[in-house]
Amino acid sequence: MVILKKIDEVRAQVKEWKKQGLTVGLVPTMGYLHEGHQSLIKKSVEQNDRTVVSVFVNPIQFGPNEDLESYPRDLEADAKLCESTGADIIFNPEPEEMYADGFVSFINMTGLPNALCGLTRPIHFKGVCTVVGKLFNIVTPDRAYFGQKDAQQLAIIMRMVKDLNFDIEIVGCPIIREADGLAKSSRNIYLTPEERKAAVVLSKAVKLGQDMIADGERDAAKIVGEMKKLISAEPLATIDYVEMVNMDTMQSIEKAEGHVLCAMAVKFGKARLIDNFIAEL
Ligand code: PAF
């Protein structure tokens, strides 16, 4: 496995692979990799001849008061995980390599970003779409892998690929959880031991919502209301949102039917954590 920092180096290697008729998978990440990312890399290694993992903390997807500076970084550990999981390249560009002086071209989707996380993170998805579009053009993968934990991001990337005709299959992969249910996230590192214990309430809320649906409940407000009640009973938790939307449009729904996403963002001290479940009803 090699770590490449330049766009041209990645392009040259991928061209070589394509000449040999090899397929290429891309796993876009911001590094500080955990078992969630590893599951995406594993899937890519299974489904493609070669796998590229990008490790890039993308400055343009962070708002002015967000955690760009403090976002955890550990390239050495990331390289070990990628190598042992079978990746072939880590693409780890500097911000100037991705955003040269005078950069002014962005992918600015309407609709889907104006919901859930997009409401409190207004520039986030413009930054995500722009960097992912660039990575798609640089790596030209056959398939690209995204976690379902970032469900709104997954829906937005799927829509972008459709709208802009990227010839890439998007593979969504299930949420990977700690033994007690907390969804794996690079941001879990921000939690104090007390907050870490309290954060289990998120996966409990997910379970509660899933159980209510399994028992036949379809009233979105009722389901979300019970989930909020459970989370609010945890003194260290501050709810940003708990919502039920259509997974393809991100529009709020009153009845749980069709392709349903029930998503939440909750703050525990410095950490803003997300979790969700998807149901086909
Ligand atoms: O999910 C992430 O880690 C990031 O949003 C992504 C897709 C790598 C774009 O920077």
Side-chain angles (χ1 to χ4, degrees):
M1 192 198 69
V2 288
I3 300 179
L4 302 179
K5 302 200 78 79
K6 299 288 176 200
I7 292 167
D8 287 350
E9 296 172 330
V10 176
R11 284 217 160 116
Q13 179 60 80
V14 172
K15 248 184 209 156
E16 208 43 53
W17 289 338
K18 294 220 165 156
K19 241 192 251 162
Q20 297 167 37
L22 302 174
T23 56
V24 179
L26 168 67
V27 184
T29 82
M30 298 208 299
Y32 212 71
L33 305 178
H34 49 68
E35 288 91 333
H37 299 110
Q38 191 170 29
S39 73
L40 308 182
I41 300 170
K42 266 191 198 148
K43 189 102 201 149
S44 174
V45 169
E46 246 169 63
Q47 296 187 333
N48 303 279
D49 299 313
R50 297 289 182 268
T51 289
V52 178
V53 179
S54 61
V55 172
F56 178 60
V57 181
N58 175 34
I60 69 164
Q61 71 185 69
F62 288 80
N65 299 315
E66 292 183 2
D67 56 344
L68 173 60
E69 295 313 322
S70 58
Y71 196 84
R73 292 157 167 92
D74 188 347
L75 186 61
E76 215 174 290
D78 291 346
K80 273 193 196 134
L81 182 143
C82 286
E83 175 129 53
S84 67
T85 314
D88 299 277
I89 291 178
I90 291 183
F91 176 43
N92 177 230
E94 293 301 324
E96 309 79 66
E97 178 72 3
M98 293 296 272
Y99 303 110
D101 261 359
F103 184 92
V104 287
S105 306
F106 297 88
I107 299 178
N108 198 7
M109 184 182 286
T110 55
L112 274 70
N114 303 328
L116 308 182
C117 286
L119 295 178
T120 47
R121 307 188 74 193
I123 61 146
H124 177 66
F125 289 113
K126 178 178 169 187
V128 169
C129 287
T130 302
V131 80
V132 170
K134 283 170 70 66
L135 290 167
F136 285 175
N137 282 332
I138 293 165
V139 179
T140 62
D142 298 279
R143 297 182 190 84
Y145 296 79
F146 294 87
Q148 187 208 299
K149 187 172 82 66
D150 297 291
Q152 188 177 12
Q153 169 171 282
L154 177 60
I156 283 174
I157 299 296
M158 283 180 159
R159 187 73 230 182
M160 178 180 88
V161 162
K162 197 173 180 181
D163 287 351
L164 301 184
N165 308 100
F166 285 103
D167 189 13
I168 297 169
E169 181 191 342
I170 301 303
V171 183
C173 301
I175 299 176
I176 305 292
R177 297 180 180 280
E178 304 284 355
D180 66 359
L182 179 67
K184 302 243 182 199
S185 164
S186 305
R187 288 188 168 102
N188 290 349
I189 186 100
Y190 298 147
L191 297 166
T192 63
E194 294 72 36
E195 289 162 357
R196 168 65 188 81
K197 268 190 218 147
V200 174
V201 76
L202 289 188
S203 56
K204 286 191 177 150
V206 163
K207 170 107 185 18
L208 173 63
Q210 285 174 322
D211 286 350
M212 287 178 78
I213 286 179
D215 289 344
E217 184 59 65
R218 291 292 178 271
D219 184 331
K222 222 178 204 172
I223 299 166
V224 164
E226 288 302 315
M227 291 168 69
K228 278 185 169 168
K229 216 190 277 171
L230 179 72
I231 300 169
S232 305
E234 171 47 65
L236 296 179
T238 309
I239 295 177
D240 181 348
Y241 67 79
V242 181
E243 280 210 49
M244 198 173 276
V245 298
N246 177 283
M247 175 70 186
D248 307 308
T249 63
M250 296 290 129
Q251 298 286 312
S252 281
I253 50 177
E254 286 175 11
K255 240 183 139 200
E257 60 188 10
H259 200 187
V260 172
L261 166 65
C262 186
M264 66 192 86
V266 178
K267 282 190 190 135
F268 296 86
K270 277 192 301 184
R272 179 182 177 281
L273 304 182
I274 55 176
D275 204 339
N276 68 75
F277 66 92
I278 294 173
E280 194 64 64
L281 300 165

